[in-house]
């Protein structure tokens, strides 16, 4: 009999409610923020432009809300702009609305307290008035058509040489076209010339850049020596092709001011920089640093410790020990099912607890205690939410990414009968299908488990990145036909190094093989050190030069790269 008691039905409602609230990122839940690593708060609040990257649900917004909530204590001024509220806005409207949100946020931070001296209150009042005037100007610009036409007429007299100008009109047009016209009056002593000048909203913004910068400098002076952090949460909701232009403009108006941009988003949906003459945007490593919040399954034990610390912060006020809530199998399966993502972990815990409450208890599966099977059932329900994220976040590539997931799942489950697959690192960088695999990892539909450095055999000099399918792809009746590779164990790492697990497009069309079993199987084994590294640091490395073929499904078959 299980010596550990499960929680009571009386404790259940409070815990379910706390789990539901904790999965939401706001000022209240920010107080329970658990840093994924030491110093992350201080690093993100530093005086430097930064890209804060990570998968949906890893805690980017909560981290930034935490920085916002401790702004006064940390001697920072934080302006939080939720870019999702500007979703589907065309360019440059999205930039104009972003600037309005920014100016309104600064105006709010400049409200003088009752303890301010009279001169300080007057100074802040003047800056707030300038911010309000500039905001009103931007709102008028936002209301204008995308393209306006300004008609200029000039009347010249041959006798006097005098001239006059006049006329201004706006007209909405789908696209700008330059046009000029000349007309001569009947009198020989006078002639009139007419020109049509087109101006776009972007022309207006470019003209206003100096004024906006001056007002920001005045706001900076009124706020004192504190750095001002501009948090752009979920920046990937700005149209993909317009992101470099939005960032270039923002970078221009805050350059050399004590104002710092914190751009938050999912890696594969960010497009911060474009090479050119001149280049556009903000270049990671040059104009801004990068901070990654991802704790992936390549550090399985670290992910488990972090996630259970998050859960403990919810359970402890309710006097519910985590050991009472979870079985050993349930603890491990929650980490695997979440892929190291805190929000998915909390959703799985909440739904698995409901399953544990509603099922018929038995000695091996106590009532209100989460086991591995409860998590499996909950993971299947989470699949629909992830598919919605795919449709929303993958943009125009959604169908291709969905097809890639189908092909990968068929290769793993139908061909190899297991959950793990490998992709050569250069393919992730150079091939479109490899970038689709990266997108699947960002969307939490596959999870990175490590980077394998191959030292011997026909794979010398090559690197393979290991992935596992998300638990939602192989739970239920289908899971009975596959054998899970426990890649977080020493034995599992050896199993995951087999050449039959190397995925390339079309590999799923090969005949099904016998399920992967531990020990020698007559299959080439990838040997070498299992290197725990970030997949995206691998992508920055130059591709290895080799003339060897890659063995994909069967060792007797070879395909050219």
């Amino acid at each position: 009999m299980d010596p550990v008691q499960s929680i009571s039905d009386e404790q259940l409602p409070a815990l379910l409610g706390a789990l539901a609230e904790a999965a939401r990122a706001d000022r209240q839940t920010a107080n329970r923020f658990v840093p994924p690593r030491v110093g992350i708060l201080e690093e993100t609040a530093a005086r430097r432009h930064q890209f804060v990257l990570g998968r949906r649900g890893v805690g980017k917004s909560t981290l930034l809300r935490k920085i916002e909530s401790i702004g006064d204590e940390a001697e920072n001024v934080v302006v939080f702009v939720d870019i999702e509220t500007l979703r589907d806005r065309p360019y440059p409207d999205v930039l104009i609305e972003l600037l309005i949100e920014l100016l309104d946020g600064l105006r709010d931070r400049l409200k003088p307290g009752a303890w301010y001296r009279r001169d300080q209150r007057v100074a802040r009042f003047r800056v707030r008035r300038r911010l309000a005037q500039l905001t009103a100007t931007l709102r008028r610009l936002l209301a204008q058509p995308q393209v306006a036409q300004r008609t200029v007429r000039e009347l010249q007299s041959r006798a006097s040489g005098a001239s006059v100008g006049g006329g201004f009109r706006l007209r909405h047009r789908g696209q700008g076209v330059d046009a000029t016209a000349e007309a001569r009056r009947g009198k020989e002593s006078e002639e009139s010339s007419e020109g049509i000048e087109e101006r776009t909203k972007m022309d207006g913004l470019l003209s206003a850049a100096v004024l906006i910068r001056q007002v920001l400098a005045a706001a900076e002076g009124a706020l004192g020596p504190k750095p001002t952090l501009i948090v752009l949460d979920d920046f990937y909701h700005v149209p993909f092709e317009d992101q470099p232009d939005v960032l270039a403009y923002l970078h221009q108006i805050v350059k050399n001011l004590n104002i710092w941009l914190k751009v938050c988003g999912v890696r594969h949906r960010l497009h911060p920089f474009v090479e050119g003459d001149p280049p556009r945007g903000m270049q990671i490593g040059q104009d801004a640093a990068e901070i990654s919040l991802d704790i992936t399954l390549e550090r399985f034990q670290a992910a488990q410790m972090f996630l259970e610390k998050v859960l403990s912060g919810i359970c402890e006020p309710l006097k519910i020990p985590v050991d009472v809530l979870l079985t050993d199998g349930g603890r491990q399966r929650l980490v695997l099912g979440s892929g190291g993502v805190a929000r998915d972990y909390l959703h799985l815990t909440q739904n698995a607890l409901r399953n544990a409450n509603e099922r018929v208890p038995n000695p091996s599966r106590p009532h209100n205690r989460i086991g591995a099977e409860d998590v499996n059932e909950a993971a299947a329900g989470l699949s629909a939410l992830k598919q919605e994220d795919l449709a929303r976040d993958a943009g125009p590539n959604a169908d291709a990414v969905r097809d890639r997931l189908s092909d990968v799942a068929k290769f793993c489950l139908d061909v190899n009968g297991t959950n793990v697959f490998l992709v050569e690192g250069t393919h992730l960088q150079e091939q479109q299908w490899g970038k689709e695999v990266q997108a699947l990892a960002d969307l939490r539909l596959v999870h990175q488990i490590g980077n394998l450095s191959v030292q011997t055999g026909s794979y010398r000099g090559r690197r393979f990145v290991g992935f596992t399918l998300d638990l939602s792809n192989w739970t239920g009746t289908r899971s009975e036909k596959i054998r899970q590779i426990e890649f977080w164990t020493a034995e599992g790492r050896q199993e995951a190094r087999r050449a039959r697990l190397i995925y390339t497009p079309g590999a799923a069309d090969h005949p099904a093989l016998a399920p992967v079993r531990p020990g020698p199987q007559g299959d080439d084994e990838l040997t070498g050190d299992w290197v725990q590294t970030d997949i995206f640091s691998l992508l920055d490395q130059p591709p290895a030069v080799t003339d060897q073929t890659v063995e994909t499904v069967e060792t007797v078959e070879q395909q050219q790269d």
Side-chain angles (χ1 to χ4, degrees), residues 305-540:
M305 291 177 60
F306 165 70
L307 294 170
E308 291 187 2
K309 190 173 181 179
V310 173
L311 182 59
S312 295
I314 299 168
C315 292
E316 285 177 0
L318 302 175
K319 296 180 171 49
I320 299 175
V322 172
D323 289 341
V324 172
L325 181 63
L326 308 175
T327 67
D328 289 342
R331 297 173 85 149
Q332 189 179 85
R333 193 55 61 94
L334 279 171
V335 178
L336 183 63
S338 69
V341 175
R343 186 167 61 196
D344 288 348
Y345 181 87
L346 296 178
H347 280 155
L348 281 174
T349 302
Q350 178 185 357
N351 294 334
L353 182 56
R354 286 192 176 278
N355 294 337
N357 172 259
E358 295 170 359
R359 61 173 162 73
V360 177
N362 59 58
S364 62
R365 299 183 67 190
H367 186 63
N368 287 348
R369 192 160 188 234
I370 298 173
E373 289 303 316
D374 299 315
V375 179
N376 286 346
E377 294 174 14
L382 193 59
S383 176
L385 293 177
K386 294 186 177 183
Q387 289 293 335
E388 290 176 6
D389 288 344
L390 186 155
R392 178 171 52 250
D393 294 343
N397 297 324
D399 288 340
V401 173
R402 192 177 291 109
D403 290 343
R404 184 61 51 207
L405 175 62
S406 177
D407 196 54
V408 167
K410 181 180 178 183
F411 172 73
C412 291
L413 305 179
D414 296 343
V415 175
N416 283 318
T418 191
N419 56 308
V420 170
F421 67 101
L422 306 175
V423 177
E424 189 168 1
T426 54
H427 291 160
L428 291 170
Q429 181 181 17
E430 298 172 356
Q431 303 295 326
Q432 180 59 36
W433 66 265
K435 295 176 182 178
E436 292 163 1
V437 173
Q438 292 181 51
L440 290 173
D442 274 348
L443 292 164
R444 300 118 58 224
L445 291 164
V446 302
H447 306 292
Q448 181 192 345
I449 63 174
N451 173 33
L452 186 63
S453 179
V454 181
Q455 305 295 336
T456 59
S458 60
Y459 301 99
R460 183 184 297 275
R462 297 181 180 214
R463 288 181 179 270
F464 295 86
V465 180
F467 296 89
T468 179
L469 289 176
D470 183 65
L471 191 61
S472 63
N473 286 307
W474 54 277
T475 52
T477 55
R478 198 175 192 181
S479 64
E480 299 173 359
K481 301 178 181 179
I482 72 168
R483 180 181 181 278
Q484 173 183 294
I485 294 179
E486 297 182 348
F487 53 85
W488 57 93
T489 67
E491 181 182 355
R493 287 197 294 270
Q494 288 300 115
E495 291 183 56
R497 291 169 169 161
R498 299 187 181 280
R500 65 190 292 178
L501 302 180
I502 298 173
Y503 169 79
T504 55
D509 297 330
H510 288 278
L513 301 175
V516 175
R517 300 296 179 190
Q521 298 292 321
D523 186 20
D524 282 355
E525 183 174 308
L526 306 180
T527 60
D529 297 329
W530 185 270
V531 182
Q532 303 298 330
T533 186
D534 189 332
I535 178 176
F536 296 102
S537 65
L538 168 64
L539 299 183
D540 293 334

Side-chain angles (χ1 to χ4, degrees), residues 154-164 183-193:
E154 184 180 70
L155 180 64
Q156 293 179 331
S157 172
R158 293 179 182 174
S160 63
S163 63
V164 295
R184 186 178 300 272
R185 290 184 179 271
K187 295 181 179 180
E188 294 183 356
S189 61
E190 295 179 348
E191 66 177 12
S192 174
S193 62

